[in-house]
Amino acid sequence: MVLIERIGKRAFETGRGFSYAMGFFFLILRESFFYIRQRKSRRVLTFQILFTAVEALPVIAILSLGLGAIIIIQGVALLPQFGQGQLVYTILITVITRELGPILTAFIIAARSGTAIATELGNMVVSHEIEAYMANGISPISYLVVPRFLGVTISLVLLNVYFNIFGLLGSYFVTALLATIDFRDYFTNLLNALTVVDVMVSLLKSAVSGAIISTVATYYGFKVEQASTEVPVMAIKSVGQGFILLITANAFLTVMYYLWL
Amino acid sequence: MKFRIRFAQQIVGIFVLVAAVSLVLVVVSMGANQRWFAKNYEFYSVFPTAEGLSVGMPIQFKGFNIGRITDITLADRDEVRVDFYIQDTYYDRVVPNSILELVSSPIGLGGGLVFHQGRGEGESLPEESLIPAINSKEGQAIVADNAVIMPASGDSITRIISQVEPVLRNVNTLLVSVDETLNHVNLALSGDQSQPLGQTLAQVNTLLSEVETTLVQTREQSNQILASAAIIAGNFEETSDALRDPTGLVPRLLDADGSIATFLDDNNRLYDQIEQMLVSVNATLDEVNSFAGFVNGTQPQIASLLQESQAAIVSGQDVLEGLSNNPLIRGGITRELSQPTTFQSYRDAQF
């Protein structure tokens, strides 16, 4: 009986937590709409993009360069043996642009900026800053969450574009050090293999990932109640929960892509 | 204050601008490369089967991609309708009597949908016109009229393979004609035919002339195949003669008065080239080996086909002999001198 009671209690808590998270997400969406419409101060947003996107660029660049170079080198060495040399471009597009690019970028940002946002907001809760904002009539959602939500979402989209630039073009120059590949042939074949749908799906995945990371990070940041020891716990939870949601959302979008196209 | 904090707006601005410009450039390049705004001219063709065809398959003309397959559907009468487009830059090549050929190599090398341009001047075909496949009735008629430019295949093996199919088709036609002839004669001799015997004989005569035409065509095509085979055999023979000749390549190389020192004093360039040649020869021998395997695999079918053809021709000969002995036919049929075959099996070749 105790076990059943516990399961029931857990289910209720999960359901309540889910509905609270959904309400939190829709509140962020609504406040974001007002934020864009009322042209509020862009300074917090600019700093969020600076911290999330610009400072993460070196990591993203190295990762995408390495990944792209490995695909090109392996593809150029192996695929022509089966008479499928042209497939290297399709594989590059599939891996860099459509599948791994968005999710790897999201993982890096979730681990890097997601934890930072959750920790920062958690510490603000512990030091009663949030209460001070509310006491002064400032909504913590519109002032603290929305710039981070928009900043992370925009950063993810921008970083995905850079991931593609480094992964598709930069990796060519890395490979050119080891093998002779004509740049014009490479670029033309790449553009032939790339479609608008690939680009749109990639950007959509990044935008969804950005929304997930920022919502989860702010949600767990505000979940801190009193003690500073709760802050790292919530930061870890935000990363774990964020990863699960990121994989699920990416898998869902990939399935939708293959079902509809 | 840190540089990046002080100039945060500018840094983020440049960051966003570079990403946006790159994205726009990629999209514009894609549009230009994939010809989003260029006009494509739609045509269709009919094939007996969709095997070897796929949507997106390029259509090639003289090695250039001039269009692509857009749709493949199973149409009425179980025919396969293939819709495709030709790019506007190549539209003027699509003249009447143009045909499509699905090329596939039995040894797995190359292949694709090839466009053959019709002969002569003329306006381009209007959109949604039929461009027949080479193995359709229309395509065969165009080829028979020599109204299409069919470039010769590059290598001897492909040429032989491409010539075998029409030969087999002609042999088939020949057998059907002989069978019809025998049926007519049997019916006439057994008295089951209502029409007069003279009319039957006239039909037999017509059929025999068709047989003769088919035989002539078959002989011409066989001669082409044999000529291709003879070229290959001749090349082999020359090579083997050169190697067998006691005053040939090896003694000349080893001659003390010769220029062997000059050959050898070249930083191993000669040996490197010989090594490369040996690697190439090895690769060629591998290909020949695989081709020989393919030929061995199909040999029983060809042998049985030839035996059946031989039996049919013997039967036909008997009929012709009977007809020539028939007093009702004045003058008879002109006797043809037997032409001994020049074909030799691969085992007879001298190496």
Side-chain angles (χ1 to χ4, degrees), chain A residues 43 46-47 49-51 53-55 57 158-159 161-162 165 187-189 191-196 199 203, chain B residues 1 4-9 11-12 14-20 22-23 26-27 29-30 33-34 36 68:
Chain A
R43 193 158 179 79
T46 306
F47 277 113
I49 294 173
L50 179 76
F51 296 140
V54 179
E55 291 186 359
L57 188 61
L158 293 174
L159 279 176
V161 173
Y162 279 100
I165 292 170
F187 195 61
T188 309
N189 286 320
L191 287 176
N192 275 331
L194 190 65
T195 63
V196 177
V199 177
L203 294 179
Chain B
M1 194 184 280
R4 63 179 163 200
I5 302 294
R6 195 174 165 195
F7 296 101
Q9 306 268 6
I11 293 169
V12 170
I14 291 169
F15 186 81
V16 173
L17 201 65
V18 170
S22 305
L23 193 63
V26 166
V27 172
S29 306
M30 273 166 60
N33 214 49
Q34 296 174 7
W36 289 352
R68 266 178 206 284

Side-chain angles (χ1 to χ4, degrees), chain B residues 43-51 53-55 69-84:
Chain B
F43 295 96
Y44 77 97
S45 185
V46 176
F47 282 79
T49 172
E51 264 182 59
L53 297 166
S54 60
V55 174
I69 293 178
T70 53
D71 195 19
I72 300 172
T73 46
L74 190 60
D76 298 338
R77 290 179 294 165
D78 291 337
E79 289 175 331
V80 176
R81 180 188 163 111
V82 176
D83 291 288
F84 60 95

